[in-house]
Amino acid sequence: QGVQLSITEFYRTT
Amino acid sequence: MLELRLTRAGLLKKVLESIRDLVTDANFDCAATGCSLQAMDSSRVAMLSLLLRPDGFEHYRCDRNISMGMNLANMARMLRCASDDDTVTINADDAQDKISDYEMKLMHITSENLEIPEAGYEAIVKMPASLFARICKDLGTIGDTVMISVTKEGIQFFTRGDIRTANIFCRKTTPVAKEKEAISIEMEKPVSLTLALRYLISFTKATPLAKQVTISMSYGRPIVVEYKMEIMDHIRFYLVPKVEE
């Protein structure tokens, strides 16, 4: 079913 | 001093109903440029970004930037007291920690804001919001992930469950199709993402806010599901795809 990454892997915190 | 007056409480009610299951507490950041809210869901797999522009309000006064931490379920419950055509006014004095007549308790929520690059996408699909909602709901009864694939012919939704698979293909419509049935595709190259259906189904709670939904995809990047509200601006939902092990 695949691995679910976190959204913070893609958008850096400001 | 913050003073917002919205002639149609119904719109704000629909906005809250569409986000309250995904995010529990969030900061409404109000500035002269409008009210925005950005928050991740508890699993940090999905995120939403809401923008309510000043010209969508009957009266919009925001003397200085103010961030109001709110429990969205409480706010939705509070707004249920208003009927769709009621005018709702939100006041917040700088010093106090409550808003409006409902004396709703504000909370201090430390939320990390994420910077969303205005990158281009490999494929952008515009389709009827109600069709997208029905497809996600139907596929959700069969499997828990959906593979969304976009080619220049159309957009395909594939899911596999224990007992059966489902494959729905929505063909791109000709340019003359009526807006509410049109399916348009801008594509640099075919792209396919595997996504958890339960989040997509949660996003489709925003369907009453817009006739069309815009789905933007790039391989290996979060999918963006956007509902443009005619006067207020938009709600955008972001969901990280599943990657093969």
Side-chain angles (χ1 to χ4, degrees):
Chain A
Q1 294 293 356
V3 173
Q4 182 75 64
L5 297 174
S6 158
I7 202 148
T8 47
E9 311 274 333
F10 296 87
Y11 301 138
R12 64 191 180 84
T13 48
T14 49
Chain B
M1 174 68 183
L2 175 76
E3 199 172 77
L4 314 176
R5 190 164 47 251
L6 201 57
T7 40
R8 283 185 43 68
L11 193 115
L12 194 53
K13 285 167 75 174
K14 282 186 190 137
V15 165
L16 280 165
E17 285 308 318
S18 68
I19 62 177
R20 61 188 289 242
D21 293 337
L22 193 66
V23 169
T24 45
D25 304 323
N27 282 316
F28 271 87
D29 297 315
C30 296
T33 50
C35 276
S36 60
L37 180 153
Q38 188 201 84
M40 286 182 273
D41 80 301
S42 54
S43 65
R44 300 162 75 85
V45 159
M47 177 173 74
L48 79 94
S49 158
L50 166 71
L51 174 62
L52 301 174
R53 278 203 322 250
D55 48 8
F57 291 84
E58 184 199 4
H59 170 70
Y60 188 97
R61 176 185 163 193
C62 182
D63 298 344
R64 62 184 198 78
N65 292 5
I66 180 171
S67 181
M68 300 186 286
M70 293 197 204
N71 172 282
L72 298 179
N74 286 344
M75 193 172 171
R77 207 169 293 128
M78 186 181 81
L79 276 172
R80 277 219 196 96
C81 310
S83 72
D84 285 2
D85 295 332
D86 279 348
T87 295
V88 63
T89 302
I90 295 178
N91 294 306
D93 296 334
D94 300 348
Q96 292 170 25
D97 64 350
K98 61 183 185 303
I99 58 168
S100 195
D101 308 330
Y102 292 91
E103 302 283 314
M104 184 175 129
K105 200 84 185 92
L106 285 182
M107 309 154 69
H108 179 69
I109 301 162
T110 50
S111 72
E112 48 193 315
N113 257 8
L114 300 182
E115 185 182 333
I116 303 155
E118 282 301 327
Y121 290 93
E122 288 162 2
I124 298 178
V125 179
K126 279 189 177 55
M127 64 187 290
S130 51
L131 175 60
F132 179 64
R134 204 184 69 240
I135 291 171
C136 291
K137 182 169 163 287
D138 292 351
L139 294 188
T141 62
I142 296 171
D144 53 18
T145 58
V146 59
M147 182 191 288
I148 300 181
S149 308
V150 180
T151 61
K152 61 181 183 306
E153 285 80 29
I155 179 169
Q156 175 179 316
F157 301 85
F158 172 78
T159 189
R160 174 191 307 280
D162 305 337
I163 45 171
R164 54 197 162 122
T165 65
N167 191 15
I168 298 174
F169 181 69
C170 302
R171 185 172 299 284
K172 180 170 76 168
T173 54
T174 56
V176 295
K178 286 197 291 294
E179 199 227 0
K180 66 179 171 48
E181 282 133 27
I183 296 177
S184 65
I185 293 178
E186 281 170 51
M187 194 186 81
E188 279 168 26
K189 59 181 185 173
V191 61
S192 176
L193 292 176
T194 300
L195 301 143
L197 268 165
R198 72 186 181 94
Y199 289 104
L200 294 179
I201 292 167
S202 175
F203 298 169
T204 60
K205 286 190 175 13
T207 303
L209 287 167
K211 287 188 183 34
Q212 281 213 314
V213 64
T214 302
I215 300 164
S216 304
M217 296 166 65
S218 284
Y219 182 72
R221 306 276 308 155
I223 191 171
V224 186
V225 177
E226 176 176 23
Y227 295 87
K228 282 194 185 322
M229 300 176 279
E230 59 275 5
I231 48 165
M232 299 310 274
D233 211 292
H234 66 254
I235 292 191
R236 285 186 193 130
F237 297 100
Y238 299 78
L239 175 59
V240 173
K242 293 201 159 214
V243 288
E244 296 315 311
E245 287 179 74

